[in-house]
Amino acid sequence: MTNKTRLLTVLAVLLCGTLSARNQSLAGRWEVRQARGFGWYPATVPGTVHTDLMAAGVIGDPFIGFGERAVQWIDKEDWVYRRSFDVDTALLKCRRVELCFDGLDTYADVTLNGRKILVSDNMFRRWRVRVDSLLQPAGNRLEVLFHSPVKVDMPKWEAYPVHYDPGNDQSRNGGLLDRCISIFARKAGYHYGWDWGPRIVTSGIWRDVRLEGSGDARISDVFYRTLKADSDWAILSIEAGVDALEPIPGAVLRFSAPGVPEVSVRQDLAEGGNLVRAELKIRRPRLWQPAGLGEQYLYEFTASLVSDGREIDSRRDKVGVRTIELERNDDACGRSFRFIVNGEPVFMKGANYIPNDVFLPRVGPEEYARVVGDAAAAGMNMLRVWGGGVYEDELFYRLCDETGILVWQDFMFSCSIYPYEGEFRRSVLLEAEENVRRLRNHPCIALWCGNNECSEMWYGWGAQQGVPFDKVAQEQYNQQYYRDLPSVVERLSPGTAYSPTSPWSPEGSRNMDPMMGDCHYWTPWGQRVSSLEFERHHSRFYSEYGFQSFAGVETIRQFAPDAADWDEGSEMMMFHQRGGTLANQRMMNKLIDEYYLPDSFEEKVYLSQIAQGDIIRRAVESHRRDKPLCWGSLVWQINDCWPVASWSSRDWYGTWKPLHYYLRDAFRDVLPSAAVLDDRVEVWLVSDRTDPVQGRLDVYFEDYSGRCVLHAGSKVKVGANGSARVGSYLLSHLGADPELLYVRMVFTDSAGKTYENLRMLTSVREAKLPKSALAVSVRQCEGGYEVTVGTDYFAKGVYLNLRGALLRTSPDGRALPGACCARNFSDNYFDLPAGSSRTVRVESDMDLDEFKKALEIRQIQKI
């Protein structure tokens, strides 16, 4: 996706889902102070206490150095936000005016003109309260008191009869010893720490706040549900919620969209809530399709409420017409787990998605466009919104609608048992209802999932052992994920798939069965085994798997500018490695076993990233070859929430690691792929196209000097959505030792489009790689430079870097916060066959001499 396309998409998103009600924003300039303090500081809403204190110079950046340690006092304090405002004249004329908070983080009391009007207890909810009787034309005083989540939830932990173990709660980093209180708050779990994130427990008005005025009635919600969709007809069921201040006889609700016949419903409206139903048919509909399978057409529907010939309210929504089914059929291998979109099975290619920042309000349109655009650019068609974060901003889902990225949406529960009873249960049910209702019109929503790894933690990890409360916990668990949450989905978004937990298998099983559902496959990361284990394992759907790497050198220079800290075991590097020393040891073991262990830290960083990319690319290819047994491959993870060593394919600044480039190759719609087995090499052709694919496949076994020892070419054909082995070659018949060889596959389809892939026949450690000399030339072009790299012998992992210039920086040299400041090369970390070259582009505003001086090129050179 180009920058221009991203901007156009963002503008289109901001225009959809609008209401005709009169709005007055109360975002912008506020003030904040510590509740037991005296001085007020300027504040920005939406925002957080931490970002406001950073802006005021009270605290430093928690992401830089050891800054996280210095901010742990903030979550133990209460904080007050305030502002004064006048009311727009048009709003004062409205019969009803409501104060709307789209997000309060988390425990808050809201006071308007001296009267408490709202108490919030859930970060994931939206809050709306009528205030027209309290407003005055000028000088209104709005105040929000945020209670310390630690002070609110510590008594709950102390009073609860059993202490569950939320494994990633970094309570000790927060000075709470073993008091893991995160499960008692309806708040983003990752704020309390994770194995890739810091412990920074935020408070604040984290989403928009506004006054919203309406007249006699307002359209509160419209649900467009596709009942049927094919090339001839689409049938939509429409349900509209209308909130009336008084009875309105003979009201008319009209539903229309360009090119669609208008549908009108006349209905008497009662005071309060009303439900209006209609059915709409579209002849020869333009179906919304996932990325790579067609257009992502969105109908722009307008719902208009009319009484006595006068429009009272209207609402616009962009709607994609499509059907999605999660197929769960018993078969000879177990039980299927595949998505059927518009009647066609679709292999899901994608990644797990976590929040883009610890400080959510500073993730703006550009950051959202960047991460969704990067997913699309890598050929992904699904992102899994993981259960330890948040239900994402409306913009995120609209961008997924626009780009054809399906969303696996977790409810916000992860890696623990929760105290699902009383007020907690009541709050969860309201949260679930609001978010299902909010997201149900998005064509991207493919699945609601009850939780992430809660079942696996309980049954597979043995967390229930020795817990005397286990029968009560089991009943609460079943109530939450098998009765309450699926009931909410079925009632508010009927037809949308629901799964109780991920990974899924029959409850009570201590070993999650990969043949019965989706699988989180972590053995190659958790144990010292060959990375080939990824290819030997089989599942119906991989919803999590990964391998860690360090962040890139440009990112490390930001949080650790002192070269004295550049050692994987230094205090600084370990502070930005939440997987602990064990995670570093696993990366180093992989280098020892399958690559080599360099002396320099920069080389270790580079090689860890190459290893991550190689390993996961082979896993993806294996999953795709396994079709039709396997129907999904979602890598853990696409993004970071701060600069850190992690499993991500893009770091917090948006820098592509090798993994993201390699995923772009492995996720192409047609993939020639090689599997290296004990005594042979198998060559496969995989296609995600809905029509058969045919063309010519050329297979070259070449040595690292460029000599071809075997060439086989033939016409091949693969069925629609198919995977087929199209060649098998004995290693003993290749005419050279495998340590000297790689296989290069070139498939040219009947339209002349070419797909190329290559694979070394051994690990890098075993390979006899010659020393290759790289020839480099640089040419200035519009907006930056083209760099051409050529080689005499095979070059593995060619890496280009602009030292100190790949991140956009502020005047003081610090990288801009957020996920949109990286300048990525159009290609990087690539393998070059002997005698070949590749030209890549990069954005840069440096002059030619500066560019050449900053340009660094690296390749794997075995010690």
Side-chain angles (χ1 to χ4, degrees):
M1 181 185 288
T2 66
N3 289 334
K4 181 178 180 181
T5 303
R6 287 193 184 107
L7 291 174
L8 290 174
T9 301
V10 169
L11 289 174
V13 167
L14 295 177
L15 291 174
C16 70
T18 57
L19 309 173
S20 66
R22 298 180 179 90
N23 292 342
Q24 178 181 337
S25 174
L26 296 181
R29 298 290 301 189
W30 287 56
E31 291 182 304
V32 64
R33 70 170 171 86
Q34 196 173 338
R36 64 188 181 98
F38 302 97
W40 290 90
Y41 298 102
T44 300
V45 171
T48 70
V49 172
H50 291 78
T51 49
D52 290 331
L53 294 181
M54 272 192 277
V58 177
I59 62 172
D61 189 336
F63 290 5
I64 303 302
F66 300 109
E68 178 197 352
R69 292 175 176 171
V71 301
Q72 294 304 312
W73 61 277
I74 294 174
D75 60 44
K76 284 83 175 172
E77 297 289 338
D78 301 336
W79 298 90
V80 182
Y81 279 79
R82 73 177 184 186
R83 70 158 293 170
S84 297
F85 64 93
D86 301 335
V87 181
D88 291 348
T89 303
L91 269 177
L92 290 173
K93 297 178 181 178
C94 292
R95 291 193 61 187
R96 169 171 45 193
V97 180
E98 293 171 299
L99 177 62
C100 305
F101 288 94
D102 287 344
L104 291 169
D105 180 14
T106 294
Y107 299 111
D109 300 335
V110 180
T111 302
L112 177 62
N113 292 332
R115 181 179 297 182
K116 184 185 289 188
I117 59 171
L118 174 64
V119 176
S120 76
D121 64 351
N122 190 320
M123 176 182 182
F124 306 124
R125 290 191 57 196
R126 295 186 171 192
W127 307 90
R128 178 184 293 266
V129 59
R130 189 168 176 179
V131 295
D132 44 271
S133 64
L134 295 176
L135 290 173
Q136 51 199 34
N140 294 277
R141 303 180 314 281
L142 181 59
E143 186 172 282
V144 184
L145 168 62
F146 287 97
H147 299 279
S148 158
V150 172
K151 291 195 293 187
V152 171
D153 290 329
M154 187 69 79
K156 300 176 188 175
W157 184 90
E158 292 171 345
Y160 212 66
V162 64
H163 294 143
Y164 301 125
D165 178 21
N168 285 292
D169 187 322
Q170 298 170 14
S171 57
R172 286 176 171 80
N173 287 353
L176 305 184
L177 302 179
D178 63 342
R179 293 165 174 81
C180 296
I181 63 173
S182 58
I183 60 172
F184 293 96
R186 290 313 298 143
K187 175 173 171 57
Y190 81 109
H191 281 166
Y192 296 83
W194 220 266
D195 54 4
W196 35 256
R199 183 193 183 277
I200 301 178
V201 183
T202 59
S203 292
I205 305 170
W206 74 287
R207 280 181 170 160
D208 189 35
V209 54
R210 65 193 175 279
L211 293 172
E212 191 174 293
S214 57
D216 297 339
R218 68 180 182 90
I219 303 172
S220 58
D221 179 58
V222 184
F223 175 35
Y224 299 88
R225 178 190 174 195
T226 304
L227 300 178
K228 172 190 174 183
D230 57 33
S231 59
D232 296 322
W233 285 98
I235 302 176
L236 274 63
S237 166
I238 306 174
E239 293 184 355
V242 180
D243 189 8
L245 291 178
E246 59 189 25
I248 304 177
V252 176
L253 200 56
R254 297 171 179 159
F255 305 97
S256 62
V260 176
E262 180 178 283
V263 172
S264 297
V265 177
R266 182 179 295 273
Q267 182 171 318
D268 295 336
L269 300 180
E271 180 180 348
N274 297 265
L275 186 63
V276 180
R277 291 186 172 93
E279 186 173 277
L280 183 146
K281 295 183 179 180
I282 304 175
R283 183 173 175 79
R284 297 197 181 103
R286 297 177 67 177
L287 299 184
W288 184 93
Q289 297 281 11
L293 295 181
E295 68 173 337
Q296 289 77 52
Y297 187 78
L298 297 173
Y299 288 89
E300 186 167 320
F301 276 96
T302 300
S304 301
L305 179 62
V306 177
S307 176
D308 294 331
R310 178 176 61 92
E311 183 177 275
I312 301 174
D313 195 15
S314 68
R315 176 190 179 97
R316 282 188 292 159
D317 291 280
K318 286 196 171 183
V319 177
V321 174
R322 91 296 183 258
T323 59
I324 300 180
E325 171 195 356
L326 176 61
E327 179 194 85
R328 304 287 281 116
N329 292 336
D330 292 334
D331 57 28
C333 299
R335 185 174 299 168
S336 64
F337 195 103
R338 70 172 180 171
F339 290 91
I340 312 293
V341 184
N342 297 325
E344 293 283 351
V346 180
F347 189 97
M348 294 302 160
K349 302 175 287 190
N352 287 260
Y353 169 95
I354 68 172
N356 285 300
D357 203 317
V358 171
F359 306 117
L360 289 161
R362 69 181 181 186
V363 182
E366 189 175 355
E367 286 85 0
Y368 280 119
R370 180 72 176 268
V371 69
V372 175
D374 284 352
M380 296 183 185
N381 60 14
M382 176 172 274
L383 291 174
R384 175 179 175 237
V385 178
W386 165 79
V390 297
Y391 307 95
E392 264 298 347
D393 189 87
E394 186 73 13
L395 178 56
F396 169 81
Y397 300 99
R398 280 299 175 196
L399 288 166
C400 290
D401 291 343
E402 298 277 352
T403 53
I405 305 292
L406 290 163
V407 173
W408 168 316
Q409 178 67 56
D410 282 359
F411 285 100
M412 291 301 116
F413 304 95
S414 184
C415 296
S416 187
I417 300 297
Y418 293 80
Y420 192 68
E421 59 188 355
E423 284 300 305
F424 187 92
R425 180 188 178 203
R426 178 198 62 82
S427 184
V428 166
L429 285 170
L430 291 171
E431 161 197 324
E433 290 172 0
E434 289 182 12
N435 282 286
V436 171
R437 191 184 298 274
R438 175 171 73 93
L439 300 181
R440 60 187 179 175
N441 277 335
H442 289 282
C444 65
I445 298 294
L447 169 73
W448 282 94
C449 184
N451 68 69
N452 169 74
E453 295 185 339
C454 293
S455 179
E456 179 162 334
M457 180 220 61
W458 189 249
Y459 293 109
W461 304 346
Q464 85 280 18
Q465 298 300 309
V467 178
F469 208 36
D470 58 342
K471 290 184 179 179
V472 175
Q474 181 66 67
E475 173 55 29
Q476 291 181 359
Y477 181 95
N478 289 339
Q479 181 70 43
Q480 182 173 1
Y481 302 117
Y482 284 87
R483 295 193 285 274
D484 283 358
L485 292 180
S487 176
V488 169
V489 174
E490 176 58 30
R491 176 165 50 87
L492 296 178
S493 188
T496 302
Y498 173 84
S499 183
T501 184
S502 180
W504 188 90
S505 72
E507 293 303 336
S509 170
R510 297 188 184 279
N511 296 305
M512 299 296 150
D513 187 345
M515 290 295 107
M516 294 298 293
D518 70 303
C519 172
H520 294 191
Y521 184 56
W522 287 104
T523 298
W525 167 250
Q527 300 178 23
R528 192 171 184 176
V529 296
S530 167
S531 59
L532 294 178
E533 289 301 314
F534 270 123
E535 300 182 89
R536 295 166 182 159
H537 189 267
H538 305 279
S539 175
R540 312 311 297 263
F541 194 106
Y542 289 90
S543 49
E544 264 194 39
Y545 64 95
F547 204 90
Q548 204 185 85
S549 75
F550 292 114
V553 292
E554 296 304 320
T555 295
I556 292 173
R557 287 190 181 108
Q558 290 295 314
F559 69 78
D562 188 344
D565 294 319
W566 281 40
D567 181 276
E568 68 271 17
S570 73
E571 186 75 11
M572 179 67 71
M573 290 304 301
M574 290 309 303
F575 196 70
H576 290 259
Q577 166 56 287
R578 292 307 160 96
T581 56
L582 185 59
N584 276 356
Q585 189 59 56
R586 287 169 176 168
M587 285 191 283
M588 294 304 103
N589 285 344
K590 184 57 61 180
L591 299 189
I592 291 169
D593 293 345
E594 299 183 25
Y595 293 82
Y596 57 90
L597 190 63
D599 293 327
S600 77
F601 175 71
E602 285 195 48
E603 184 80 2
K604 289 176 183 176
V605 168
Y606 157 73
L607 202 55
S608 79
Q609 294 193 327
I610 292 289
Q612 178 197 38
D614 283 343
I615 292 165
I616 300 305
R617 173 167 56 184
R618 288 198 292 267
V620 169
E621 292 191 22
S622 175
H623 301 163
R624 294 189 66 192
R625 291 196 302 266
D626 251 2
K627 191 165 54 171
L629 178 74
C630 177
W631 281 94
S633 185
L634 307 183
V635 177
W636 184 272
Q637 67 215 67
I638 191 175
N639 57 337
D640 283 327
C641 67
W642 77 314
V644 66
S646 83
W647 296 262
S648 68
S649 65
R650 311 159 57 258
D651 71 21
W652 181 63
Y653 296 109
T655 308
W656 287 24
K657 297 179 182 178
L659 175 55
H660 207 78
Y661 290 99
Y662 296 176
L663 289 175
R664 183 177 63 183
D665 295 334
F667 282 155
R668 297 182 74 186
D669 62 333
V670 178
L671 175 73
S673 176
V676 181
L677 307 176
D678 292 334
D679 61 347
R680 66 191 186 281
V681 177
E682 291 185 349
V683 175
W684 292 67
L685 191 65
V686 183
S687 172
D688 291 334
R689 297 183 188 175
T690 55
D691 295 318
V693 173
Q694 58 185 347
R696 177 179 174 85
L697 177 66
D698 287 285
V699 179
Y700 304 90
F701 288 91
E702 299 172 343
D703 67 20
Y704 294 122
S705 67
R707 181 175 65 97
C708 180
V709 300
L710 177 66
H711 168 232
S714 61
K715 292 181 179 181
V716 296
K717 182 177 181 179
V718 175
N721 233 326
S723 172
R725 187 179 66 179
V726 293
S728 183
Y729 306 88
L730 290 173
L731 293 175
S732 58
H733 292 180
L734 295 181
D737 293 336
E739 293 85 359
L740 297 170
L741 300 177
Y742 63 95
V743 56
R744 182 167 61 91
M745 299 151 285
V746 182
F747 175 72
T748 305
D749 69 14
S750 56
K753 188 172 182 178
T754 299
Y755 298 82
E756 185 168 347
N757 195 8
L758 64 82
R759 176 166 178 173
M760 299 170 62
L761 300 192
T762 67
S763 67
V764 170
R765 183 178 66 83
E766 297 167 319
K768 296 177 180 179
L769 290 173
K771 289 187 177 181
S772 55
L774 301 180
V776 181
S777 63
V778 177
R779 186 181 75 84
Q780 198 160 10
C781 60
E782 184 178 355
Y785 291 89
E786 287 184 348
V787 181
T788 299
V789 183
T791 184
D792 51 357
Y793 295 122
F794 182 91
K796 168 71 177 169
V798 177
Y799 164 51
L800 288 76
N801 182 44
L802 287 177
R803 188 177 181 90
L806 281 182
L807 302 179
R808 294 181 178 87
T809 57
S810 60
D812 63 356
R814 302 303 311 179
L816 300 174
C820 66
C821 67
R823 308 169 193 252
N824 290 307
F825 283 86
S826 60
D827 201 1
N828 213 340
Y829 304 97
F830 44 82
D831 298 341
L832 278 181
S836 68
S837 66
R838 188 168 303 188
T839 299
V840 299
R841 297 186 76 258
V842 67
E843 173 194 336
S844 176
D845 49 12
M846 293 188 294
D847 64 36
L848 182 59
D849 288 339
E850 287 178 310
F851 184 90
K852 288 182 176 179
K853 188 177 295 185
L855 181 63
E856 301 174 331
I857 299 182
R858 187 189 298 269
Q859 61 172 309
I860 284 182
Q861 296 279 15
K862 292 175 62 176
I863 297 173

